[in-house]
């Protein structure tokens, strides 16, 4: 039977509290990785300059955070001191101590002393009283009897010497208990109340998914989106999740009502449709209605009252997390339409532009309002043409616009291909890598030259491709100074933002995503002086099990700039494994390449065999050439004869 040791002193509870405090305090005390990352380039347009100035004012020193951390570390130090000075009762079985004789006493002395104790402590001879019950007397007598036998009986003595107990091996279990002063007397009710509050109320409310959202929000996304979901469905799903992601509107009812009126005035009947789809009507949920009002005030660029600004910032920073959760659910089901909508929604959110309004994409540029953006979009879809027309018209904002566009950069898909390590053909169920090579180029203006295409030699760099393909990283190391952080042009986003792009491989015909999308960042900027700058990214997946040709579509979509995306058709051909076997046999018949040739260097890097160049090879070639010339001369002379 197990010997249960109940920790009445509460020492184990103190160790448990120390561990919990350490797990919580250490991550919050360490500086974030992003704060250590140097910034190499920032947008110099007036809107971004003002935005950075506002951020510096609001960021400051978080006194509340440091105050809570100080209290936490003080509590940790106090508990650690208590643990270090606590007296831990660690009882080790000692028969000499139980019999009250000195260690090393002889058998004769032990027997003599035991007889005296057995006469004095026998249950029949001990007088009972209020403080001395028959159970206690019997337990004491059994204890001295075991101690005596453990010193005189050979078997019992071996158990004691080997296992530390006369009964042999003992299974000990330790119970973590609260200290007595917490659970004694009237404190019982309070302890039970705290336990009920923590485990019945607080913990279920704090349950988060791996994406960092409330479990109920994830369940809402799972039910709300479908295979054909578009941008409006994304908005309604987000609106429903605000029930658990935002705070109630208590205390700011009038300000919120005025803000909602302003939003409704701009959107008209669209606002009623949104609130109905998100089940955010007044009789349903005020929290959802508040979240939608703050979100669309951001999209419409409506100033928010100071009392609601913190709530709006918190909501905006949480929305990308919610979108990533929704994206995970969509890609798990391989649905293309909601996947693309969730990715594109992020750029509208970053630039404060109404979702789905592609005609407003030029409103991202500094100083342009919605009406001007729509007018420019009618003239041209190319940014460089828009800048040229504004410059020719003598627009005073052209300098600011050029600064923003140069930092923005247009995505250029240099190359995309399917690769298999050490094989030229793709066979069924093989491990395939989609290798994407991309760069950012500034649109040509009067002051910026057009960037030429990447040279074919730089694209077909086999050594560089093989090293990247066999490496463990999903993104190639950044070339040159671009190893640092670039801040994107996003003056209406409540924090500094780094541009990211999503790689999506899909089959539009079946509306399916082939593999889960991958987010990439730090795409290098190329210029006219360095046109061959690009970065490679790889996406691993398993090839289909059947021999066939698959025509898919590759998307590269920005999560920061509206309309900044490229797409192209890409074909994956699955060949019969027999063809690969035949090709290998043909390659075996071909002699090994020479070590000083390009093929030889590639073979040596892969661990293959190469032909060593002999010192006499040149002389042999020369002699054979001379022989050929001599023989040809002889034949010509014979012909003349």
């Amino acid at each position: 039977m197990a010997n249960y040791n109940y920790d009445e002193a509460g020492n184990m509870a103190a160790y448990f509290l120390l561990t919990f405090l350490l797990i919580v305090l250490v991550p919050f005390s360490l500086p974030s990785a992003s704060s250590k990352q140097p910034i190499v380039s920032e947008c110099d347009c007036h809107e971004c300059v003002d935005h950075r100035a506002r951020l510096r004012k609001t960021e400051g020193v978080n006194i509340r955070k440091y105050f809570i951390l100080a209290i936490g570390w003080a509590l940790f130090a106090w508990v650690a001191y208590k643990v270090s000075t606590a007296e831990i009762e660690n009882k080790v079985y000692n028969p000499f101590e139980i019999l009250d004789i000195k260690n090393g006493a002889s058998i004769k002395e032990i027997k003599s002393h035991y007889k005296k104790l057995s006469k004095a402590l026998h249950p029949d001879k001990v007088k009972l009283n209020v403080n001395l019950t028959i159970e206690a007397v019997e337990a004491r007598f059994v204890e001295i009897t075991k101690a005596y036998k453990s010193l005189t009986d050979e078997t019992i003595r071996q158990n004691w010497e080997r296992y530390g107990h006369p009964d042999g091996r003992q299974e000990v279990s330790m119970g973590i208990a609260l200290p007595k002063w917490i659970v004694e007397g009237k404190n019982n009710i309070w302890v039970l109340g705290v336990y009920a509050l923590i485990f019945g109320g607080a913990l279920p409310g704090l349950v988060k998914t791996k994406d960092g959202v409330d479990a109920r929000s994830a369940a809402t996304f799972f039910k709300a989106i479908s295979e054909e979901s578009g941008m409006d469905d994304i908005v309604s799903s987000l609106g429903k999740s605000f029930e658990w992601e935002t705070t109630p509107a208590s205390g700011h009812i009038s300000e919120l009502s005025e803000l909602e009126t302003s939003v409704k005035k701009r959107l008209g009947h669209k606002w009623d449709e949104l609130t109905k789809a998100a089940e955010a009507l007044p009789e349903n949920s005020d929290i959802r209605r508040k979240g939608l009002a703050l979100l669309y005030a951001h999209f419409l660029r409506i100033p928010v009252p100071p009392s609601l600004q913190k709530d709006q910032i918190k909501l905006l920073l949480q929305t990308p997390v919610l979108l990533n959760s929704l994206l995970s659910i969509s890609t798990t089901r391989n649905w293309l339409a909601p996947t693309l909508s969730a990715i594109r929604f992020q750029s509208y959110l970053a630039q404060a532009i109404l979702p789905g309004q592609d005609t407003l994409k030029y409103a991202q540029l500094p100083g342009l309002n919605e009406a001007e953006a729509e007018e420019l979009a009618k003239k041209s879809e190319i940014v460089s043409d828009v800048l040229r027309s504004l410059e020719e018209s003598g627009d005073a904002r052209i300098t600011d616009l050029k600064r923003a566009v140069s930092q923005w950069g247009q995505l250029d898909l240099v190359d995309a291909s399917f690769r298999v390590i050490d094989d030229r053909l793709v066979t069924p169920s093989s491990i395939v890598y989609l290798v994407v090579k991309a760069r950012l180029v500034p649109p040509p203006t009067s002051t910026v030259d057009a960037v030429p295409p990447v040279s074919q030699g730089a694209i077909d760099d086999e050594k560089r491709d093989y090293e990247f393909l066999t490496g463990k990283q999903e993104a190639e190391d950044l070339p040159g100074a671009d190893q640092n952080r670039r801040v994107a042009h996003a003056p209406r986003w409540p924090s500094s933002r780094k541009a990211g792009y999503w790689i999506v491989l899909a089959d539009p015909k079946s509306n399916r995503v082939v593999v889960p999308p991958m987010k990439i960042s730090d795409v290098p900027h190329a210029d006219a002086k360095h046109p061959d700058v690009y970065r490679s990214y790889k996406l691993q997946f398993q090839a289909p099990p059947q021999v066939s040709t698959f025509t898919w579509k590759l998307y590269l979509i920005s999560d920061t700039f509206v309309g900044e995306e490229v797409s192209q058709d890409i074909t994956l051909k699955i060949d019969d494994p027999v063809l690969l076997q035949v090709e290998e046999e043909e390659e075996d018949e071909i002699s090994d390449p020479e070590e000083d040739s390009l093929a030889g260097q590639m073979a040596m890097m892969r661990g293959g065999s190469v032909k060593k160049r002999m010192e006499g090879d040149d002389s042999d070639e020369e002699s054979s050439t001379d022989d050929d010339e001599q023989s040809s001369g002889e034949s010509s002379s014979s012909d003349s004869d």
Side-chain angles (χ1 to χ4, degrees), residues 273-448:
E273 295 176 1
L274 287 171
T275 53
K276 183 178 180 180
E279 299 177 4
L281 299 175
E283 61 270 17
N284 297 125
S285 174
D286 290 335
I287 302 179
R288 296 180 184 179
R289 203 172 185 87
K290 173 190 174 183
L292 282 175
L294 293 175
L295 181 65
Y296 270 85
H298 171 71
F299 285 138
L300 297 169
R301 304 180 182 182
I302 299 174
V304 175
S307 58
L308 295 173
Q309 286 179 359
K310 288 186 177 180
D311 289 341
Q312 187 188 45
I313 291 174
K314 182 180 178 181
L315 177 74
L316 293 178
L317 294 177
Q318 180 64 10
T319 303
V321 181
L322 295 171
L323 287 171
N324 286 338
S325 175
L326 192 151
L327 188 61
S328 298
I329 294 173
S330 176
T331 54
T332 301
R333 301 175 177 182
N334 297 328
W335 289 344
L336 177 59
T339 297
L340 296 179
S341 297
I343 292 174
R344 289 167 179 156
F345 190 92
Q346 298 180 24
S347 60
Y348 292 106
L349 185 68
Q351 298 295 338
I353 294 177
L354 277 174
Q357 300 293 324
D358 292 336
T359 57
L360 298 178
K361 71 174 186 176
Y362 291 131
Q364 304 172 91
L365 298 174
L368 296 181
N369 56 39
E370 292 185 0
E372 290 175 314
E374 285 184 334
E375 188 65 27
L376 290 172
K378 293 177 182 178
K379 294 181 179 179
S380 177
E381 291 291 324
I382 303 174
V383 178
S384 57
D385 293 343
V386 171
L387 292 178
R388 191 179 300 110
S389 65
L390 291 173
E391 188 173 13
E392 291 174 353
S393 64
D395 197 305
R397 299 166 295 184
I398 189 63
T399 302
D400 238 14
L401 293 171
K402 286 182 178 180
R403 290 173 180 172
V405 170
S406 63
Q407 181 67 18
W408 178 346
Q410 292 180 321
L411 187 63
D412 180 22
L413 180 57
V414 177
D415 186 57
S417 60
F418 295 107
R419 304 289 295 272
V420 178
I421 297 178
D422 292 330
D423 282 330
R424 192 176 63 85
L425 303 178
V426 181
T427 56
S429 300
S430 60
I431 300 300
V432 183
Y433 293 92
L434 169 62
V435 179
V436 176
K437 300 176 181 180
R439 64 175 183 169
L440 295 175
V441 295
T445 62
S446 59
T447 56
V448 178

Side-chain angles (χ1 to χ4, degrees), residues 61-260:
V61 179
N62 193 340
I63 299 177
R64 181 180 178 184
K65 173 186 174 182
Y66 288 110
F67 179 73
I68 294 174
L69 284 175
I71 293 177
W73 282 113
L75 178 61
F76 178 85
W78 179 76
V79 176
Y81 171 75
K82 285 292 184 182
V83 169
S84 63
T85 57
E87 294 183 3
I88 301 176
E89 297 180 2
N90 188 12
K91 294 183 179 180
V92 178
Y93 186 81
N94 189 346
F96 292 102
E97 183 181 342
I98 295 172
L99 295 174
D100 196 19
I101 57 176
K102 62 182 180 179
N103 291 345
S106 63
I107 298 296
K108 184 178 180 181
E109 292 174 338
I110 293 171
K111 289 182 178 181
S112 174
H113 188 70
Y114 171 70
K115 287 181 180 180
K116 294 178 182 179
L117 287 177
S118 62
K119 290 179 181 179
L121 300 177
H122 196 279
D124 295 337
K125 296 184 178 181
V126 176
K127 292 183 179 181
L128 305 177
N129 52 44
V130 178
N131 297 324
L132 189 61
T133 61
I134 185 63
E135 290 82 6
V137 173
E138 290 176 348
R140 175 59 177 160
F141 187 76
V142 170
E143 186 180 24
I144 64 171
T145 303
K146 282 186 177 181
Y148 168 71
K149 289 184 177 180
S150 66
L151 295 176
T152 56
D153 187 277
E154 187 64 26
T155 302
I156 297 178
R157 184 166 188 138
Q158 287 180 1
N159 286 338
W160 171 59
E161 291 175 349
R162 184 176 299 176
Y163 304 113
H165 198 277
D167 293 336
R169 187 191 299 275
Q170 299 292 301
E171 295 180 5
V172 179
S173 61
M174 176 63 71
I176 301 177
L178 296 173
K180 280 187 176 181
W181 62 270
I182 294 181
V183 296
E184 283 180 343
K186 298 180 180 180
N187 293 334
N188 282 332
I189 298 176
W190 294 103
V191 172
L192 291 175
V194 170
Y195 267 81
L197 182 64
I198 294 175
F199 293 102
L203 285 182
L206 294 174
V207 173
K208 301 284 185 181
T209 65
K210 66 177 183 178
D211 297 311
V213 304
D214 193 286
R216 292 166 290 186
S217 299
T220 300
F221 296 150
F222 191 83
K223 297 176 183 177
I225 63 172
S226 64
E227 187 174 359
E228 302 296 333
S229 292
M231 202 70 72
D232 291 340
D233 299 310
I234 299 297
V235 174
S236 63
S237 300
L238 287 174
K240 293 176 183 178
S241 70
F242 290 157
E243 180 79 23
W244 306 283
E245 304 293 342
T246 57
T247 56
S250 57
H252 310 295
I253 302 297
S254 59
E255 293 92 338
L256 185 61
S257 178
E258 293 176 3
L259 182 64
E260 184 180 343

Side-chain angles (χ1 to χ4, degrees), residues 619-633:
S619 61
D620 292 341
E621 291 176 0
E622 292 175 359
S623 62
S624 62
T625 305
D626 294 339
D627 293 341
D628 293 340
E629 291 177 352
Q630 183 178 358
S631 61
S632 62

Side-chain angles (χ1 to χ4, degrees), residues 263-278:
V263 172
K264 187 174 181 179
K265 185 178 179 181
R266 293 279 299 275
L267 291 179
H269 69 279
K270 181 70 174 178
W271 175 250
D272 296 329
E273 295 176 1
L274 287 171
T275 53
K276 183 178 180 180

